[in-house]
Amino acid sequence: MDASSWESEVQKQTGRMVRAPCCEKMGQNKGPWTPEEDKVLVDYIQRYGHGNWRALPKLAGLLRCGKSCRLRWVNYLKPDIKRGNFTKEEEDTIIRLHQQLGNRWSAIAASLPGRTDNEIKNVWNTHLKKLMDPETAQIEPTKKRRKKKGDSAMSVFADQSQISESSLDAREESSSSEIDERFWLDVLSISDGSESSMNSTTVELHPPTSNSTSSVAMALMNWNDNDDDMEFWQKLSKGIGDWMEFSHV
DNA sequence: AATATTAGCAACCGCACGCAG
DNA sequence: TCTGCGTGCGGTTGCTAATAT
């Protein structure tokens, strides 16, 4: 019985609207994916795409819940996913964006093409956090360093002095969580309309209909990339003022 | 060589949000 | 405006493999 049928049946019997329980309770598989399951999922998505995750497992013939399929695809099977160790630049970016955005892993992931929020979260929790919080590191001393197969990036930040100034330059006041996406789009267009004052080669602002967190992440990335550019800061400052006035904030 | 400990990471879970009816 | 659905996100768990004892 699929999730929808199960819900209808329970609703009929109880008169109440319910959500189907995930996985185990529906007699579905849990735990690690087998290569066979991976193949079925990849084949199906390559052929038909993933219009509806909830319906996908049934259509593909998988004994998994839609959520599980989505997670497996997004975090592991998607063709553009970059596997392997994080570079110093990637770790630096994670540290910098984490200072600005907090645990908004999807927003951070938006600035690291090919990396998933889950992967970034794991990297942060396993070693970057310790580097950024020496007190925690003292409470939980790392006695051993597990060496992964082919791992060479573990020691990238072994010496904290290697972390760039900009990474450690916390901009408390720049907390963006309360800032509406319109802000960034407006401010950056107000700044002068040209791209000369920004590192536009690596930055792309999305339209308002797209993921707002990624826009903010990218805008912030842009912001830090222009640390020494006084002209940029002046324009940004003016832009903020103009935007606030315009928006009656 | 056997066992204990730990790090790394894939996967699960529950909540929240946006959209459609 | 309200309600349900589908999806995405962040926190957490638990398994596996590497390392220490």
Side-chain angles (χ1 to χ4, degrees), chain A residues 188 198-205 218-219 221-223 225:
Chain A
L188 291 170
M198 304 176 218
N199 286 352
S200 58
T201 50
T202 57
V203 172
E204 179 188 346
L205 282 172
M218 292 205 179
M221 193 174 156
N222 203 338
W223 187 341
D225 285 342

Side-chain angles (χ1 to χ4, degrees), chain A residues 35-36 80 86 93 95 129 144 148 197 212 216 231:
Chain A
E36 290 75 26
D80 57 346
F86 278 62
T93 300
I95 291 166
K129 184 162 75 176
K144 308 166 191 177
K148 266 178 62 184
S197 60
S212 61
V216 172
E231 191 187 351

Side-chain angles (χ1 to χ4, degrees), chain A residues 42 87 95 102 121 131 136 184 186 231 238 242:
Chain A
V42 170
T87 63
I95 291 166
K121 180 170 56 184
L131 295 170
T136 306
W184 292 108
D186 289 353
E231 191 187 351
K238 179 179 181 306
D242 290 347

Side-chain angles (χ1 to χ4, degrees), chain A residues 57-74:
Chain A
K58 191 186 176 191
L59 296 169
L62 284 164
L63 284 172
R64 292 274 180 176
C65 66
K67 239 178 177 182
S68 184
C69 293
R70 180 191 153 268
L71 209 63
R72 183 65 178 169
W73 173 256
V74 167

Side-chain angles (χ1 to χ4, degrees), chain A residues 102-172:
Chain A
N103 294 356
R104 291 167 61 194
W105 306 116
S106 58
I108 295 171
S111 298
L112 293 167
R115 301 296 189 182
T116 68
D117 53 354
N118 204 38
E119 198 177 10
I120 291 166
K121 180 170 56 184
N122 284 333
V123 167
W124 176 264
N125 286 332
T126 51
H127 68 285
L128 295 182
K129 184 162 75 176
K130 289 170 193 162
L131 295 170
M132 301 309 292
D133 185 0
E135 278 188 30
T136 306
Q138 280 184 346
I139 295 165
E140 302 173 298
T142 305
K143 291 180 186 172
K144 308 166 191 177
R145 301 212 106 182
R146 180 179 167 193
K147 198 168 181 317
K148 266 178 62 184
K149 300 164 200 158
D151 183 352
S152 61
M154 280 294 291
S155 60
V156 166
F157 286 137
D159 177 357
Q160 199 162 345
S161 65
Q162 290 179 37
I163 299 168
S164 73
E165 285 294 315
S166 63
S167 308
L168 300 172
D169 181 19
R171 301 187 195 284
E172 299 286 338

